Amino acid sequence: MDAEQKLRLCDKNLASLLAERVTLVGAGAYDEREAQKNLALFNALFGGTKSIALIGFMGAGKSTVSRYLKRALALAERETDAMIVEQEGMPITDIFEKYGEPYFRELESKTVLSLESMGQAVISCGGGLVMRKENVENLKLSSRIVLLTATPQTTLERVKNSTERPILNGNMNVEYIAQLMEKRRETYQKAADITIATDHKDVAAICAELVEKLAVE
Ligand code: S3P
């Protein structure tokens, strides 16, 4: 093994140690200093300070993963839906009802543009946000894009009691979810730098896998 190969192996080992640190800091009592060390190691391995943008279908676990990474990596957290709700002063369902979906999609595009100047963060993107090509291009300027996936069955289990997703209101069944998921599948995959399947995994395991994959990508 030459020196270069040995260095790559060291990086791989560091990435798996980082994954372990992420689960320890994420699960334990919050310790910001340890979380900051995680972030420093992540940025060193990754070679930059890009944000982590989480994409995927409704119920893929973006908000849960985002909350965990915020703690484990001492990152700022941004949710595009929450930013829009705050700015408009009304819930997503009301925005859809009052102004229609195209208006909401415009707000999403503006939100993506505003993220670039906000610094490194973990960004949870609304499920339809990357269906616009320009949003993907703008996201990529300052973020690595992580696709979270789940089967239609898992998705339904996770979203069935929510009434806050206008796209699914009146369509809360596995057939509709499977069909819309299939429609979006290719666009999601093309946008993603890495993909993590979330079925039957807890959030700590998902975040460990995510950080390790991104760090050595
Ligand atoms: C949408 C997903 C939602 C929200 C809006 C539309 C979609 O976000 O942006 O209801 O088109 O997939 P989540 O993916 O966070 O549920």
Side-chain angles (χ1 to χ4, degrees):
M1 203 188 290
D2 64 22
E4 171 129 19
Q5 286 169 322
K6 279 184 188 159
L7 277 172
R8 291 292 78 82
L9 188 61
C10 287
D11 283 357
K12 255 185 102 176
N13 291 337
L14 282 171
S16 91
L17 285 173
L18 172 62
E20 198 174 338
R21 285 189 57 93
V22 159
T23 58
L24 288 169
V25 178
Y30 185 61
D31 185 329
E32 186 150 7
R33 251 171 52 101
E34 295 300 335
Q36 277 164 357
K37 269 195 245 169
N38 285 351
L39 182 61
L41 183 54
F42 178 75
N43 286 341
L45 283 170
F46 177 69
T49 56
K50 282 200 165 186
S51 294
I52 300 172
L54 304 170
I55 66 163
F57 202 79
M58 294 164 272
K62 293 163 295 188
S63 302
T64 310
V65 167
S66 152
R67 217 172 307 128
Y68 195 95
L69 288 180
K70 173 192 176 176
R71 278 169 61 91
L73 288 172
L75 278 170
E77 186 188 25
R78 316 210 190 282
E79 294 215 61
T80 60
D81 281 351
M83 290 167 79
I84 289 170
V85 166
E86 195 186 328
Q87 182 197 312
E88 295 293 294
M90 64 175 93
I92 304 281
T93 37
D94 288 4
I95 300 172
F96 268 67
E97 209 173 284
K98 215 168 165 195
Y99 302 111
E101 184 175 347
Y103 177 79
F104 174 75
R105 299 300 174 196
E106 279 306 311
L107 295 176
E108 279 191 318
S109 295
K110 285 188 189 137
T111 304
V112 171
L113 281 177
S114 73
L115 287 168
E116 212 195 318
S117 59
M118 290 186 184
Q120 191 175 24
V122 54
I123 302 162
S124 181
C125 299
L129 184 144
V130 293
M131 298 312 292
R132 272 196 182 178
K133 208 171 156 211
E134 64 176 86
N135 292 349
V136 176
E137 285 161 7
N138 289 327
L139 257 187
K140 276 194 189 274
L141 295 176
S142 55
S143 309
R144 306 302 282 165
I145 300 186
V146 177
L147 170 62
L148 301 178
T149 66
T151 61
Q153 287 75 12
T154 303
T155 303
L156 180 61
E157 276 311 304
R158 292 180 185 164
V159 301
K160 67 182 180 196
N161 295 323
S162 159
T163 51
E164 286 163 17
R165 295 182 171 97
I167 303 272
L168 293 181
N169 288 345
N171 297 311
M172 203 55 93
N173 59 75
V174 84
E175 292 76 24
Y176 181 83
I177 289 172
Q179 177 212 316
L180 183 57
M181 205 179 260
E182 183 53 30
K183 245 188 182 163
R184 291 181 174 184
R185 190 171 53 85
E186 204 184 333
T187 308
Y188 281 161
Q189 283 172 347
K190 277 196 181 142
D193 293 303
I194 63 162
T195 301
I196 314 274
T198 66
D199 300 272
H200 315 300
K201 292 179 192 161
D202 67 22
V203 63
I206 294 166
C207 292
E209 187 181 335
L210 183 159
V211 166
E212 188 165 358
K213 265 195 184 171
L214 262 191
V216 292
E217 197 215 348

